[in-house]
Amino acid sequence: MADGQHLAAQAVTANGAHAIAFAPSLVVQPRMLAVQRVARGAWRMRVPRSRARGRALELSPRAGRLRMAAVNGGSGTEKVRVAILGASGYTGAELVRLLATHPSAKITHMTAERNAGQPFGTVFPQFAFGDFANALPALVKIEEITSWDDVDVVFCCLPHATTQEIIASLPLDKVRVVDLSADFRLADTSVYAEWYGGEHKAPELQREAVYGLTEFAREQVRSARLVANPGCYPTAAQLPLVPLLKAGLIEPQDIIIDAKSGTTGAGRAAKVGSLFCEVSDGIHAYGVASHRHAPEIEQGLSAAAGAPVVVNFTPHLMPMNRGILEAIYVKLAPGVSADQLRDCLAEHFNAEPFVHVAPKGSPMPHTRHVRGSNHVLIGVSPDRLPGRAIVISAIDNVVKGASGQALQNMNVMFGLPETAGLELAPVFP
């Protein structure tokens, strides 16, 4: 932007608080304000730290407002106001835990059907004390939220097949949505109907939903009204496989994904298969050749390969609370070595805050290396079978596989530091 160029825009916050108007006569001097185009119709403007404590201003005609947000630890003038639908489940509670350390977000509504009317600390006693807990709103039913004027973003942590109609009823001209269910992950609604046993009830919203695997979709997420948060198994599988397929280093056929998950992946509702005596002291495969995450994985890998990809995907339930470990067996392209796979991934994720590739000779990833964090750890080893390699991917299924990635997407959507609320170190032991 040249000296003296006019910025013709007008923007105010959603509720009128801290309103900042940019009239057509405003002159923007580059020495004072750095302007960067981040998406079609959206601009990010950064004020030097000395002038505004490192704040970033993001102007988005879609949102119809100018938002001031904290950057590099600065304190913003306005916090992102958050509603969590389905807050009494594992993913909802994990969002609350992560938001407790977020410098630029505030929870204004939380819903729960069976626990409506109760303080959140009654349902989850770990949130029954401290200033943050005391400021949390009581749980209510969704229909009890009569106004969305104090909400900027809605996290939907509801069961599959229930979210579509609820999101369609939200004032999407005022709020943005991150959906943690599977309802908007599959771009083809006929594939959704095949795997989830019912017709999609909001196909018009599906067409605009952005699949939010953050490391691959930042620009689309930045301006999205509706982000479909990826599933846990697909996150751990796609992060290593997509760059390798795009680089042509592995064959798109004969990909085997042997996955293990903790019991939180089954949700918090009481189920016989999740009982202690059913899970402890053993391991078992489930959803063999029929798990609903298979088409989600194949959707991403097919796009990366530029041709249809079908994977051999078998999940297993482990006697642990958290974590996913995937052993992925791949066929190398002619003349390619396992070292080249590692180098490709290391270069691709070099600048990423959460995805890490283990150096050659270092231990393979363990779930405990990432437990309680938004980090992803990837290891690569040559197979004993010539022309093949083994890729190990470890994540926390409740954080990077669900709530952490949802918060990461929210940060991108609102121009906040991507690591805000997510800088917790893994928990060990």
Side-chain angles (χ1 to χ4, degrees):
M1 179 174 287
D3 271 8
Q5 183 171 343
H6 291 70
L7 177 64
Q10 185 169 353
V12 296
T13 56
N15 63 354
H18 308 293
I20 304 171
F22 279 73
S25 60
L26 176 68
V27 177
V28 176
Q29 301 290 349
R31 295 184 301 275
M32 299 172 57
L33 195 63
V35 182
Q36 174 191 7
R37 187 172 189 261
V38 296
R40 184 178 181 182
W43 300 80
R44 172 177 293 174
M45 294 163 279
R46 293 192 180 277
V47 184
R49 176 179 292 274
S50 61
R51 294 183 180 272
R53 298 182 184 176
R55 292 173 189 153
L57 312 182
E58 184 164 331
L59 177 62
S60 173
R62 177 191 292 276
R65 59 179 178 256
L66 180 70
R67 174 166 299 285
M68 299 192 72
V71 174
N72 298 326
S75 56
T77 61
E78 181 187 359
K79 291 191 175 185
V80 175
R81 300 162 301 175
V82 175
I84 302 175
L85 309 187
S88 61
Y90 289 137
T91 56
E94 192 72 350
L95 270 169
V96 174
R97 182 179 77 92
L98 297 172
L99 286 166
T101 64
H102 200 296
S104 303
K106 175 185 178 181
I107 300 174
T108 56
H109 296 284
M110 295 193 293
T111 76
E113 293 302 301
R114 290 189 300 274
N115 295 300
Q118 298 188 54
F120 193 66
T122 301
V123 180
F124 291 101
Q126 66 267 35
F127 297 108
F129 45 85
D131 292 341
F132 173 80
N134 293 334
L136 290 174
L139 294 166
V140 298
K141 293 187 176 183
I142 294 174
E143 57 267 27
E144 293 181 68
I145 303 177
T146 57
S147 172
W148 298 91
D149 288 344
D150 59 348
V151 176
D152 297 308
V153 63
V154 176
F155 289 105
C156 286
C157 305
L158 302 167
H160 307 312
T162 66
T163 302
Q164 300 153 38
E165 292 179 303
I166 289 173
I167 291 179
S169 71
L170 296 175
L172 296 179
D173 58 328
K174 297 180 180 179
V175 303
R176 303 169 81 177
V177 178
V178 180
D179 179 27
L180 282 77
S181 82
D183 281 14
F184 292 95
R185 294 175 189 162
L186 298 174
D188 188 335
T189 54
S190 65
V191 175
Y192 174 88
E194 175 186 352
W195 285 85
Y196 286 88
E199 294 299 317
H200 201 285
K201 298 175 182 177
E204 68 288 346
L205 286 178
Q206 177 60 69
R207 285 191 285 272
E208 74 164 89
V210 170
Y211 185 75
L213 189 45
T214 321
E215 284 74 14
F216 300 148
R218 280 192 182 90
E219 291 309 308
Q220 298 93 320
V221 167
R222 204 181 304 278
S223 58
R225 284 200 308 175
L226 170 59
V227 171
N229 213 58
C232 49
Y233 287 127
T235 293
Q238 291 178 88
L239 282 170
L241 287 175
V242 164
L244 298 179
L245 285 168
K246 283 187 174 181
L249 297 179
I250 60 173
E251 300 290 351
Q253 298 80 30
D254 200 18
I255 296 174
I256 301 170
I257 304 172
D258 181 3
K260 279 89 173 173
S261 175
T263 57
T264 46
R268 198 176 184 222
K271 304 181 186 73
V272 171
S274 300
L275 294 174
F276 177 82
C277 290
E278 304 290 330
V279 177
S280 66
D281 297 326
I283 173 176
H284 66 272
Y286 68 100
V288 178
S290 62
H291 195 281
R292 290 170 169 177
H293 282 181
E296 185 181 340
I297 295 170
E298 291 166 353
Q299 173 180 263
L301 301 190
S302 297
V309 173
V310 179
V311 298
N312 183 325
F313 169 61
T314 306
H316 302 75
L317 187 63
M318 299 294 291
M320 61 184 185
N321 293 338
R322 293 170 173 262
I324 281 181
L325 187 75
E326 295 186 3
I328 305 171
Y329 305 93
V330 297
K331 183 178 181 181
L332 299 171
V336 173
S337 68
D339 286 346
Q340 287 175 270
L341 303 192
R342 185 186 305 103
D343 292 344
C344 171
L345 293 172
E347 180 179 356
H348 186 90
F349 293 116
N350 179 57
E352 292 293 341
F354 297 119
V355 185
H356 317 281
V357 180
K360 184 176 183 178
S362 61
M364 282 287 117
H366 298 191
T367 56
R368 65 175 176 268
H369 295 162
V370 295
R371 188 175 190 270
S373 79
N374 201 53
H375 294 286
V376 182
L377 192 54
I378 299 169
V380 180
S381 173
D383 200 334
R384 291 179 60 240
L385 297 174
R388 299 190 66 89
I390 303 169
V391 179
I392 306 295
S393 180
I395 67 170
D396 185 311
N397 61 298
V398 191
V399 190
K400 183 59 176 173
S403 304
Q405 185 150 240
L407 186 55
Q408 188 179 352
N409 281 322
M410 185 205 83
N411 288 338
V412 173
M413 293 166 80
F414 288 89
L416 301 170
E418 197 166 313
T419 57
L422 296 169
E423 296 179 296
L424 299 173
V427 178
F428 179 80

